[in-house]
Amino acid sequence: MTERGGRIQTRQRSAVWAALEAAGEFQSAQQLHARLRADGDGVGLATVYRTLQQLADDGDVDVLRTADGEAVYRRCSTGRHHHHLVCRSCGRTVELDAAAVEQWARRIGEEQGFSDVDHVVELFGTCRECKETDRHI
Amino acid sequence: MTERGGRIQTRQRSAVWAALEAAGEFQSAQQLHARLRADGDGVGLATVYRTLQQLADDGDVDVLRTADGEAVYRRCSTGRHHHHLVCRSCGRTVELDAAAVEQWARRIGEEQGFSDVDHVVELFGTCRECKETDRHI
DNA sequence: GTTTGTGCAAATATTTTGCACTTGA
DNA sequence: TCAAGTGCAAAATATTTGCACAAAC
């Protein structure tokens, strides 16, 4: 467990932290809130936002913005990460081995004189099933 | 794909395009709207948004998200779709030509049976200057 | 017991959209 | 002419905040 300042330990924070761990990948506050509610761990949306904000301030999570402006959070990973291909419609997720991209990112960063280069790569599309049924969310 | 034939030339679009050129750097829709109003070129906020969206669709401008979720636009220097390498400390941005990544993303999507595949690729690091001065923001 | 966190709802902020009215080709 | 564009305001989203209540230490 990481040291997280003088913060109080509450059921809600543990739940958010656990949900982030369970997800493993970038999740929006809304997604986490829904996930928690589905699991029976009721946590207010505002509390989810506040908790994520603190975690981000403390550097315990990565924060990103999706193309449509939603903030997504991920527990900082110690080891190497992988990427995902996510269906816009049903949320189905495929894990990707992206060795080629890892190499590309590192090389580009070095070429530009940047250090501690991290990268974010996410693919979004419509999976075959959703395309056929023309389903929308 | 790039469908510019269906677009009408209007005073408003010229004004937005000119404002982008005048700014030279990343500007939010709100900033551009204010700038246009200040210059006496009244353009509705919705029109600014719609115009920027089209320009982005056509690949004529870069779109980025600031840390607080605002979309900012800049006239592309190359006119091609590309990605960014952003310094965590000073925000300096380097445009990347990522043909390799584009291909990889498209191929992976097709392999998995996904259509309309879009992708998000952003690199973050610490640029040489910030590393040397150990600057923080 | 005091300090900090939580939930709810209302408030912000940004961006999108419906619709009647213009306008450019 | 007339499809395409525009402005306005209302709606949709995502996130923040004020405040009374509850919980952790």
Side-chain angles (χ1 to χ4, degrees):
Chain A
M1 196 66 88
T2 317
E3 166 61 41
R4 284 198 296 287
R7 255 111 212 203
I8 288 182
Q9 159 93 357
T10 65
R11 176 184 68 78
Q12 289 88 340
R13 279 182 197 164
S14 304
V16 170
W17 186 246
L20 274 168
E21 178 166 49
E25 266 298 320
F26 283 102
Q27 296 274 296
S28 70
Q30 311 274 355
Q31 287 175 310
L32 288 168
H33 178 244
R35 176 187 279 262
L36 287 165
R37 177 178 283 179
D39 291 354
D41 297 323
V43 177
L45 181 57
T47 298
V48 174
Y49 273 107
R50 279 187 283 232
T51 302
L52 289 172
Q53 227 168 41
Q54 291 174 348
L55 290 173
D57 285 347
D58 293 349
D60 292 325
V61 295
D62 293 327
V63 193
L64 248 196
R65 290 271 170 182
T66 64
D68 48 303
E70 217 180 359
V72 286
Y73 305 81
R74 182 185 65 181
R75 253 178 93 155
C76 290
S77 52
T78 46
R80 70 180 307 150
H81 61 277
H82 51 271
H83 303 289
H84 287 103
L85 169 56
V86 184
C87 176
R88 287 191 192 86
S89 181
C90 67
R92 172 184 310 187
T93 300
V94 179
E95 289 191 359
L96 302 176
D97 176 21
V101 173
E102 313 293 332
Q103 285 184 0
W104 170 82
R106 185 169 17 256
R107 180 173 57 77
I108 291 289
E110 283 167 3
E111 279 178 14
Q112 301 290 337
F114 280 59
S115 47
D116 307 318
V117 177
D118 192 9
H119 63 280
V120 168
V121 175
E122 296 291 317
L123 307 194
F124 303 95
T126 305
C127 75
R128 185 155 21 221
E129 199 169 308
C130 289
K131 177 94 173 188
E132 283 166 0
T133 60
D134 195 30
R135 180 163 30 149
H136 300 295
I137 45 173
Chain B
M1 298 313 225
T2 303
E3 192 82 272
R4 227 170 312 180
R7 252 122 219 196
I8 289 180
Q9 158 93 1
T10 66
R11 176 186 69 77
Q12 289 89 340
R13 281 184 195 162
S14 304
V16 170
W17 186 245
L20 274 169
E21 178 164 49
E25 55 181 310
F26 283 103
Q27 296 274 295
S28 70
Q30 310 275 355
Q31 288 175 309
L32 288 167
H33 178 243
R35 176 187 281 261
L36 287 165
R37 178 176 281 178
D39 290 355
D41 296 323
V43 177
L45 182 57
T47 298
V48 174
Y49 274 107
R50 280 187 281 232
T51 302
L52 289 172
Q53 228 168 41
Q54 291 174 347
L55 290 173
D57 285 348
D58 293 349
D60 292 326
V61 295
D62 291 328
V63 193
L64 263 189
R65 290 272 170 182
T66 64
D68 48 302
E70 215 182 0
V72 286
Y73 305 81
R74 184 185 60 180
R75 265 180 83 156
C76 286
S77 46
T78 67
R80 261 182 306 171
H81 172 76
H82 52 261
H83 302 288
H84 297 100
L85 169 56
V86 185
C87 176
R88 288 191 190 86
S89 180
C90 67
R92 171 184 311 187
T93 301
V94 179
E95 289 184 5
L96 303 176
D97 179 18
V101 173
E102 311 296 328
Q103 286 183 358
W104 170 83
R106 183 167 45 246
R107 180 174 56 77
I108 292 288
E110 283 168 3
E111 279 178 14
Q112 302 290 338
F114 279 59
S115 47
D116 307 319
V117 177
D118 193 7
H119 58 278
V120 171
V121 175
E122 295 290 321
L123 306 193
F124 302 96
T126 306
C127 74
R128 185 155 20 223
E129 198 169 310
C130 288
K131 176 96 173 186
E132 283 166 1
T133 61
D134 194 30
R135 178 162 34 143
H136 299 294
I137 47 173

